[in-house]
Every structure is written in structure tokens, then in C-alpha cells.
Amino acid sequence: MFYRVNILQEMISDALQKLLPEYSLHITIVESTEQLFDAIIDRQVDIVITEFSYLFNHKAWGVQTSNRLNMLCHTHNVKRVLFVPELQYGLLKKVLEMKYELTLSLQDAPGELKTELRALLTTEDVKPRISSFLKGMMRAGARSRSVLSAREWEVLHLIVEGYTVTEIAHLRSRSASTIATQKHNAMKKLNLANHSELIKYLQMAGKIGN
């Protein structure tokens, strides 16, 4: 369990034991990436369970760290479970592209968690699975107008790199009004109210490794 050691440790451990009483579970909670990677390399881990918001707020987490976790888990046959909060469609899509063996919503019922964890423990060749709640969110997002165009993504990525609207317009040989409109439309699709929310969103997206 890659998570912060706090009052939730006993609650998480108890919940997993109750969900899977037929299994003898050894649950260790680590909070540093070094501890996590060492445990995987030493073959002390069968499943890594973590939560997206925790990864985002972890100082040592980034694309390189995420990619290293994926490589180590693949090499040592360790399965990954990720819990995600409610996310915007575009960000959720990026999270699912990480292709964890199991991705669940914090809104999922305990029954689904129990079924999916059992399947994870008993199946050798596991293909990435997502919960029914997340599938519903993806279908709803795909039907909406929330998908950003390539140029809107381009503008957002340049903004998070520190470019102003005027600088992007000069860099891409477009008018400043066109760039401002693309930024505005992207924020509207992502349901972001201001520039601070935009930067926070892009920081989250930037911490996801594929």
C-alpha cells in the first residue's frame, strides 16, 4: 500500500481483511518511493495499491517516478491498483491510459471492490480493468463536448510552461485573440473557473506517466 502512514492505516488494513477473509493478507504501508521500489525489487510485493490524489500530492512523484514504477511492476510481475476521485473527462482519460491492472473509483460499492480484488489475486494474465462507475463516467464524458482539440491542448501545455497568450500567438503565428479563445474554450470544456484552476489541472496531468 503506497500511502501516508496515519490514522487510516488500521482502517484500510481492516477493510481489506474483511473484504477478503479467505486470503492471508500481509499489508505494509510505505510512504516513500524508495521504500516502495525496494520492496518490489526484493520481491516482497504482489499488489501495489494507491490513490491518485496521494500520488499528485507526493513531492517525489512525477512522470519519471511513475514510469519507473510501471517498469519495476512489469519486471517483477506486480499488479497495480489505483483509486481515483471524481476527475474531469480529459484527466480521467489520461489516468486510464496509465493502464493499471485495476482502476477503481472512490464511489464504487464495496461489493465491486471485493469482486475485482479477488479476480486480481486469482488471475495470472490480468488485462487492465476499470470499474463500472468509471466506465459510466467515460461514456458520459465521450458523449459530451468536453474533448479538447489538438490546438486547445497545445495552448494549455504552452501556458503551463510559462508562455503568455501573446507569446503563444507569436510562437504559433496566430492572433492573440485566437489563442485567448482557444484557452477560454478549453477551460470551459474542462469546467475550470480561472487560471489557477487551469494550472492545478495541468500540474496533475503532467504528473501522470504513460
Side-chain angles (χ1 to χ4, degrees), residues 187 190-202:
M187 291 177 62
L190 296 172
N191 196 28
L192 301 173
N194 52 52
H195 187 79
S196 297
E197 288 187 7
L198 172 62
I199 297 301
K200 179 80 169 178
Y201 175 93
L202 292 172

Side-chain angles (χ1 to χ4, degrees), residues 78-100:
V78 173
K79 298 164 184 173
R80 303 157 301 158
V81 177
L82 180 67
F83 286 91
V84 298
E86 288 194 38
L87 299 173
Q88 299 292 340
Y89 172 76
L91 189 55
L92 178 59
K93 189 171 183 290
K94 286 182 68 69
V95 170
L96 296 181
E97 286 171 358
M98 295 166 71
K99 294 185 178 179
Y100 272 45

Side-chain angles (χ1 to χ4, degrees), residues 16-196:
L16 288 173
Q17 295 285 1
K18 289 175 181 176
L19 281 171
L20 303 165
E22 67 272 35
Y23 291 94
S24 176
L25 302 178
H26 176 70
I27 301 168
T28 302
I29 297 186
V30 296
E31 112 176 66
S32 77
T33 55
E34 291 77 14
Q35 285 179 304
L36 176 64
F37 295 154
D38 286 346
I40 294 172
I41 292 168
D42 293 340
R43 299 187 181 278
Q44 300 174 10
V45 181
D46 294 313
I47 299 176
V48 173
I49 302 175
T50 192
E51 197 264 322
F52 178 75
S53 294
Y54 177 66
L55 295 184
F56 171 66
N57 290 307
H58 199 285
K59 292 180 180 179
W61 199 261
V63 172
Q64 289 184 337
T65 312
S66 179
N67 290 341
R68 188 180 178 205
L69 172 67
N70 296 343
M71 182 272 292
L72 287 175
C73 287
H74 178 74
T75 301
H76 297 285
N77 195 30
V78 173
K79 298 164 184 173
R80 303 157 301 158
V81 177
L82 180 67
F83 286 91
V84 298
E86 288 194 38
L87 299 173
Q88 299 292 340
Y89 172 76
L91 189 55
L92 178 59
K93 189 171 183 290
K94 286 182 68 69
V95 170
L96 296 181
E97 286 171 358
M98 295 166 71
K99 294 185 178 179
Y100 272 45
E101 283 68 37
L102 178 58
T103 307
L104 298 159
S105 166
L106 297 177
Q107 308 298 321
D108 286 312
E112 181 155 15
L113 172 60
K114 183 175 182 177
T115 301
E116 295 292 355
L117 284 176
R118 276 179 173 169
L120 201 64
L121 289 166
T122 57
T123 307
E124 286 294 324
D125 186 20
V126 179
K127 295 181 180 179
R129 293 176 59 87
I130 67 172
S131 71
S132 54
F133 184 87
L134 292 177
K135 288 177 182 176
M137 288 182 64
M138 288 299 293
R139 285 194 295 268
R143 288 194 300 266
S144 73
R145 297 178 177 271
S146 62
V147 182
L148 271 61
S149 69
R151 287 200 168 186
E152 287 167 348
W153 273 119
E154 177 188 46
V155 168
L156 295 192
H157 283 303
L158 288 171
I159 286 171
V160 83
E161 288 178 15
Y163 290 92
T164 66
V165 167
T166 303
E167 289 169 338
I168 296 171
H170 179 73
L171 190 66
R172 290 293 181 258
S173 300
R174 297 178 220 156
S175 69
S177 61
T178 297
I179 299 299
T181 298
Q182 289 168 339
K183 176 186 175 184
H184 172 78
N185 290 343
M187 291 177 62
K188 186 175 180 180
K189 289 179 181 180
L190 296 172
N191 196 28
L192 301 173
N194 52 52
H195 187 79
S196 297

